[in-house]
Amino acid sequence: MMNSRRLTVSYQTPNTYHREWPHRPLPAKPFLRLQGRWLDEAGFAIGAQVSVQVMPGRLVLEVIEPERTVEPDVKYARRSTAD
């Protein structure tokens, strides 16, 4: 089993301006940074697609496995027409 991690939610200020607030920057938004070899060890390889389930006070991150195509069994897929 993997060790648990403790992170701090910080903030990020957008670099853009909103048309409703043309002279003020947009308000800061929460920012959570995840990085480290432990991600790869947990199956979150570089380039992996990730699903995020959002619930109050809880985030669940899961790697989305690429869909595997099922190859037909050649022995049963090809039938001989000659009897």
Side-chain angles (χ1 to χ4, degrees):
M1 178 146 204
M2 291 281 191
N3 295 331
S4 61
R5 303 284 175 193
R6 189 173 185 147
L7 305 169
T8 300
V9 177
S10 58
Y11 68 93
Q12 185 177 43
T13 55
N15 295 335
T16 59
Y17 290 84
H18 193 273
R19 62 189 156 149
E20 293 178 17
W21 300 302
H23 304 292
R24 295 184 308 202
L26 291 171
K29 54 187 172 183
F31 178 79
L32 188 61
R33 183 172 163 168
L34 300 174
Q35 70 176 23
R37 291 189 187 108
W38 60 274
L39 287 168
D40 192 40
E41 292 168 3
F44 292 83
I46 294 170
Q49 295 289 307
V50 177
S51 164
V52 181
Q53 295 178 32
V54 180
M55 296 158 274
R58 184 181 182 106
L59 298 176
V60 178
L61 305 172
E62 295 179 305
V63 173
I64 301 170
E65 296 293 335
E67 292 185 26
R68 295 182 182 156
T69 57
V70 177
E71 304 251 344
D73 189 349
V74 176
K75 182 169 64 174
Y76 296 107
R78 294 183 187 167
R79 290 195 167 187
S80 173
T81 56
D83 288 331

